[in-house]
Amino acid sequence: MTKTSNLFLRRRHPAARRGTITVLAAFFSVAVLGMVAMSVDIGYILSMKEEMQRTADSAALAACWDYGKNLSQRNDNSTSIQSARATALLFAVNNQVGNDGPILDANSSNHAEGDLVFGYVDDFYDPDATFDTNSTQLFNAVKVRVRRDSQLNGEVPSFFARIFGHNGQPMYANATAAIVRDVRGFQTPNGGATIDLLPFALDLDTWNDWMAESGPGVTDDWTWDAANQEIRSGADGWYEVNLYPQGTGSPGNRGTVDIGSNNNSTADISRQILYGISADDLAYHNGRLEFDHHGELGLNGDTGISAGVKDELKAIKGHPRTIPIFSQVNGPGNNAIYTIVKW
């Protein structure tokens, strides 16, 4: 007697299969939505980061430039810092991040952890150099932090990611700008360029009075009209002193110094006024004019007063020039030696 075995084929009920497909489709839709949300929000975050960095860079550069300009012209550290803070705030709010101008904390106390900090950096090439906020008179750098967090400017918002409970995130951008203040001197430039250095020295006492905007010979009688490139009579808040000719305490010498040959002629001085100090001039000084370890440089004096350079001086009105500042002069006439201590 033969026993027959039956083979049964089973098939899932269509309704059950549809349920599985529905669950998988829903899961797939959520995953795609999550990826889209992530892509959109990450793109927005990266855009905000770029805009914040641009704003931080702009504010730091503008503040440092303003600080250096006022410091060199007025030599008032506190006033220069105050002006530079205002400039940083202005540039930050005018360089929008996400259609809003970010606000900086002015940090008037100059706390080291603030958003806007002035300090001193001793090595511009060292990214880990100490940022010293104690040596006020040496300040040469500005740090700016642009931030969007719950305390200032609001967090960078999320869009699609809010579906998953992520409403925003804090973001920061930092920038540091610095200026060279402790210039020791000059060396031969490359490519045949010249150095805009006048061969006239000003005494240190007059310089200090000028920076303090008071003292003998310090006046505010003239105005520089930059638009028309002319000098007009009248006060403008920028003070003047007499550079040349002046009394130097050296008989027969009125502040003219020899940069180059000790036998500089009026033609040499005229050329230097108009076009600057050349490589040939610096060759007489071994290619550089530089302070020694005492912070001094000796320059030979030139004799007399030459009216032959009047036209050349008039020709450079409105153009910036570097001048040497001397602390003392020894010897008369062509034997005078000026001790240069500043530029």
Side-chain angles (χ1 to χ4, degrees):
M1 183 175 180
T2 304
K3 185 175 180 180
T4 303
S5 298
N6 296 321
L7 178 63
F8 295 96
L9 297 177
R10 301 185 62 194
R11 182 168 65 90
R12 184 184 299 270
H13 192 279
R17 186 171 69 246
R18 283 196 301 273
T20 302
I21 294 172
T22 300
V23 170
L24 291 175
F27 177 78
F28 180 75
S29 298
V30 171
V32 170
L33 181 61
M35 287 187 290
V36 170
M38 183 178 295
S39 299
V40 170
D41 286 348
I42 287 177
Y44 182 72
I45 288 170
L46 292 176
S47 176
M48 290 300 97
K49 179 65 174 176
E50 183 178 357
E51 290 186 11
M52 289 178 68
Q53 190 61 59
R54 175 212 62 202
T55 300
D57 292 343
S58 174
L61 285 169
C64 194
W65 178 267
D66 186 272
Y67 172 70
K69 178 187 67 176
N70 284 290
L71 187 65
S72 65
Q73 292 174 337
R74 298 184 184 270
N75 204 32
D76 183 344
N77 208 54
S78 59
T79 301
S80 299
I81 291 175
Q82 183 179 4
S83 175
R85 285 192 192 280
T87 297
L89 298 176
L90 179 64
F91 270 72
V93 78
N94 283 317
N95 281 273
Q96 296 186 347
V97 177
N99 297 321
D100 288 320
I103 298 171
L104 298 181
D105 182 346
N107 189 30
S108 299
S109 65
N110 205 50
H111 190 279
E113 301 301 321
D115 291 347
L116 181 53
V117 188
F118 290 77
Y120 172 73
V121 177
D122 62 356
D123 185 353
F124 295 166
Y125 299 97
D126 180 7
D128 299 318
T130 301
F131 195 88
D132 178 12
T133 58
N134 296 315
S135 305
T136 307
Q137 295 303 316
L138 298 178
F139 283 178
N140 63 355
V142 184
K143 285 202 306 184
V144 172
R145 177 178 62 189
V146 176
R147 58 188 171 111
R148 291 193 60 168
D149 55 25
S150 58
Q151 282 76 43
L152 195 63
N153 298 310
E155 294 185 345
V156 176
S158 299
F159 294 100
F160 291 101
R162 292 182 180 181
I163 298 172
F164 304 100
H166 185 75
N167 295 321
Q169 69 177 60
M171 189 174 295
Y172 308 89
N174 299 279
T176 301
I179 56 172
V180 177
R181 289 186 57 185
D182 50 347
V183 178
R184 295 184 59 192
F186 303 88
Q187 65 182 19
T188 303
N190 297 323
T194 57
I195 300 170
D196 290 332
L197 176 63
L198 283 182
F200 302 119
L202 182 68
D203 66 281
L204 183 61
D205 289 339
T206 300
W207 170 265
N208 289 334
D209 288 342
W210 189 19
M211 294 298 100
E213 300 178 351
S214 66
V218 179
T219 64
D220 185 14
D221 296 334
W222 303 98
T223 296
W224 170 244
D225 184 347
N228 296 308
Q229 294 288 293
E230 63 181 17
I231 297 170
R232 296 184 286 102
S233 61
D236 62 354
W238 297 96
Y239 289 77
E240 304 97 26
V241 293
N242 182 56
L243 173 62
Y244 178 80
Q246 62 161 332
T248 63
S250 172
N253 195 287
R254 292 287 180 172
T256 309
V257 290
D258 287 322
I259 302 177
S261 170
N262 287 345
N263 296 312
N264 270 356
S265 65
T266 299
D268 290 320
I269 294 173
S270 297
R271 170 181 55 80
Q272 291 175 349
I273 293 171
L274 290 173
Y275 307 113
I277 306 302
S278 67
D280 289 339
D281 293 326
L282 288 176
Y284 286 92
H285 307 277
N286 297 318
R288 61 180 59 203
L289 294 170
E290 187 176 26
F291 295 140
D292 61 19
H293 63 283
H294 297 295
E296 298 177 344
L297 167 69
L299 286 181
N300 185 249
D302 206 359
T303 56
I305 303 172
S306 175
V309 298
K310 182 174 68 174
D311 290 339
E312 284 77 8
L313 289 171
K314 288 175 63 177
I316 63 168
K317 289 188 298 184
H319 297 273
R321 290 291 188 271
T322 300
I323 57 173
I325 309 297
F326 70 91
S327 61
Q328 60 181 337
V329 55
N330 295 295
N334 201 44
N335 294 317
I337 298 296
Y338 287 78
T339 302
I340 309 302
V341 293
K342 284 180 178 288
W343 300 105

